[in-house]
Amino acid sequence: MSTALPLVGVALLLLATGLIGFYGLRVSRTTSDFFVASRTVRPVWNAAAISGEYLSAGTFLGLSGLVLLSGAEAFWFPVGYAAGYLLVLLFVAGPLRRSGAYTIPDFVHARLDSVVARRVTSVLVLVIGWLYVVPQLHGAALVITAVAPVPPWVGSVGIAVVVSAVVAAGGMRSITFVQAFQFWVKLTALTLPLVLVLMALGGAFEPGGAAVTFDPATVFPHDAGPGGLDAYATASLLLALLLGTTGLPHVLVRFYTSPDGGSARRTTVVVLVMISVFYMVSSTLGLVARVVAPDLARPGVADTVVLELPTRLVPGLGGEMLAALVVAGAFAAFLGTSSGLVVALAGVVSQDLFGGTVRSFRWSAVACTLIPLAFALVTIPQGLVTSVGTVFVFAASALSPVILLGVWWRGLTARGAVAGMVVGSVLCATALLASSALVASGYGAGPAGETAGGLPGVVRALLAQPAAWTIPLATATVVVVSLRDRHGPPLRTDRFLRRLHVPERRRS
């Protein structure tokens, strides 16, 4: 792959992002513009922006790489990601918009009338957000080293600088324009190469060329097919992906930008369509790679498969231009997700520590970018999909039970919410850290039914995929502590729940 064209593609993307961000700065005037785009974003536009931030490095690069490595097992990730939005549609999109909050801690405070619950929620939101930003910066480092002879930190620092500048300049209104644009860049950057790669496999670029035969035994070998999946690990993963979406701060905050609850629900339906199309394209590229690029099926290398396929299969300048388009799309993925996360985190920090002014929002945006950047520069990137999956597990264990019960259960109390968030986050973090330590020490290898170093395989499975037990324990903690709380729920709970569940047009 040549260096010049990909760098030109990235430069054009950054230029377009800067120009769109500058336009957002011109129309961002009020505090509400910076925090929730004055709640005026229409469904289709908002859906494109949500899809632009949701489809991260883990999806753009990592999903195809995971399909290359794991075959059918990898399909549970897009299924879980998309189905998670179905839960958002059914249970939280409309009520969260009707709450009138700016951030998730705002919602928890308004629901429970507790400063302590708000502070705990704020800490968890920051942890989740920073954990999600780090894979985006790792992905930028991976791509920049694949296309240019520069140090990895160049990609991470470049993304951090652009994101902090655009977010600080125009806030949520500016980022909405940027993310909507970047979604269409990402979709085009994978769809066009996929079409041309499939044409190349059919012999379209060579006179009399023979089409490649897709043997099911090659695409789905027996040990990677559905029959070889571990039932517990699959169920636990799906539970984490389903419920994790309802605990991601950058996803939920976007519903506050809708004009009303009905608009928020319509937005979610459009999001489901958009991300499903994207997942189909990305997964198909992974299947193609299993046939034509099996040499890339190595950890740390598989995530580059979408960068390599165009130049391998499309000859000459056309392949180089496609590769440049994919690189630009990858940077759009890093920018879109990182921007959404930084907006959500800056809103929390500004509201909780500095009174929620525009000036404090801007400084908070810079700080919320520098912290994950520092962490990304001193850590070694793992698989992008699995890194993002870890964030879903943590969000599902720490925040999702409180958010769902806060919307639907009258008996939730502040003490119950705090206890559930602490138990869920501590249990999940402990399990994931223990699993990482076991893998690093060589105890994590081998099938789930075997033992390694005297440790039963079932214990390793429970630690590697803890959602199946951390989420129920966190939920049970919330319920039990709330029921035993002598103070009970706040006195205005019924009025607040009525506001969440009664459509705006029906209120008296």
Side-chain angles (χ1 to χ4, degrees):
M1 184 188 305
S2 68
T3 300
L5 284 177
L7 293 181
V8 170
V10 172
L12 290 175
L13 174 76
L14 296 179
L15 176 62
T17 298
L19 292 175
I20 295 172
F22 177 74
Y23 172 77
L25 171 62
R26 294 182 60 189
V27 298
S28 294
R29 294 286 182 261
T30 66
T31 301
S32 183
D33 283 335
F34 274 81
F35 284 94
V36 290
S38 292
R39 308 189 195 277
T40 57
V41 186
R42 297 297 175 181
V44 175
W45 194 264
N46 206 13
I50 291 173
S51 302
E53 73 177 6
Y54 191 60
L55 299 170
S56 64
T59 301
F60 191 91
L61 296 177
L63 181 57
S64 297
L66 192 61
V67 171
L68 172 60
L69 286 171
S70 305
E73 184 177 353
F75 290 159
W76 291 117
F77 279 92
V79 169
Y81 290 147
Y85 259 104
L86 183 59
L87 292 187
V88 171
L89 168 65
L90 295 175
F91 297 113
V92 299
L96 281 182
R97 170 57 189 91
R98 298 185 193 107
S99 71
Y102 279 164
T103 64
I104 300 304
D106 274 350
F107 168 77
V108 172
H109 192 187
R111 172 66 175 83
L112 300 173
D113 195 22
S114 169
V115 175
V116 175
R118 180 191 182 103
R119 294 286 185 260
V120 174
T121 306
S122 297
V123 171
L124 291 177
V125 165
L126 291 174
V127 171
I128 292 168
W130 287 333
L131 288 175
Y132 212 136
V133 172
V134 170
Q136 315 312 313
L137 302 178
H138 281 161
L142 175 71
V143 172
I144 199 68
T145 55
V147 301
V150 297
W153 63 264
V154 173
S156 300
V157 172
I159 290 294
V161 169
V162 173
V163 167
S164 60
V166 173
V167 173
M172 179 64 82
R173 186 177 289 279
S174 178
I175 290 304
T176 298
F177 298 140
V178 169
Q179 289 173 330
F181 161 73
Q182 288 168 345
F183 167 73
W184 294 110
V185 171
K186 285 185 280 190
L187 184 60
T188 303
L190 286 190
T191 303
L192 182 59
L194 174 62
V195 171
L196 294 180
V197 163
L198 291 177
M199 291 174 61
L201 292 176
F205 298 120
E206 297 181 11
V212 173
T213 301
F214 281 77
D215 182 1
T218 301
V219 180
F220 297 116
H222 176 69
D223 60 353
L229 297 178
D230 177 74
Y232 168 80
T234 302
S236 187
L237 172 65
L238 278 178
L239 184 63
L241 297 179
L242 286 170
L243 293 177
T245 306
T246 64
L248 295 178
H250 66 298
V251 169
L252 299 183
V253 75
R254 289 231 56 102
F255 293 107
Y256 298 142
T257 66
S258 296
D260 50 48
S263 179
R265 290 173 61 85
R266 291 190 294 274
T267 295
T268 312
V269 174
V270 182
V271 169
L272 281 168
V273 175
M274 288 182 170
I275 64 176
S276 296
V277 171
F278 191 93
Y279 288 143
M280 287 189 290
V281 173
S282 183
S283 300
T284 303
L285 281 170
L287 295 180
V288 171
R290 289 179 72 82
V291 176
V292 301
D295 57 298
L296 298 178
R298 306 190 307 275
V301 178
D303 286 334
T304 65
V305 65
V306 296
L307 305 174
E308 297 289 343
L309 280 181
T311 52
R312 286 194 177 199
L313 298 177
V314 179
L317 181 62
E320 298 289 345
M321 294 181 67
L322 285 179
L325 177 62
V326 173
V327 171
F331 271 82
F334 311 144
L335 288 169
T337 300
S338 300
S339 299
L341 287 161
V342 171
V343 165
L345 300 181
V348 170
V349 173
S350 176
Q351 289 280 340
D352 283 13
L353 299 182
F354 304 110
T357 64
V358 170
R359 181 183 179 88
S360 67
F361 178 93
R362 286 173 164 161
W363 283 112
S364 299
V366 175
C368 289
T369 308
L370 292 178
I371 292 173
L373 173 62
F375 189 79
L377 292 177
V378 299
T379 55
I380 300 173
Q382 304 297 319
L384 295 180
V385 167
T386 52
S387 297
V388 172
T390 298
V391 182
F392 274 73
V393 174
F394 188 81
S397 303
L399 276 186
S400 296
V402 170
I403 292 173
L404 288 169
L405 291 173
V407 171
W408 293 99
W409 186 41
R410 182 190 181 281
L412 179 67
T413 69
R415 291 181 179 179
V418 170
M421 288 188 286
V422 171
V423 168
S425 57
V426 170
L427 288 178
C428 183
T430 302
L432 293 174
L433 290 174
S435 177
S436 298
L438 289 172
V439 171
S441 62
Y443 282 84
E450 298 179 0
T451 60
L455 184 70
V458 66
V459 175
R460 300 198 315 274
L462 290 171
L463 294 177
Q465 292 290 350
W469 55 274
T470 56
I471 296 173
L473 286 176
T475 305
T477 301
V478 175
V479 173
V480 171
V481 175
S482 294
L483 291 175
R484 296 179 64 85
D485 188 351
R486 293 177 301 163
H487 297 282
L491 295 177
R492 57 189 182 85
T493 295
D494 289 333
R495 186 170 72 247
F496 188 79
L497 289 178
R498 182 177 182 273
R499 177 178 183 175
L500 296 184
H501 296 292
V502 176
E504 291 84 352
R505 63 182 180 274
R506 297 181 185 175
R507 294 178 189 169
S508 58

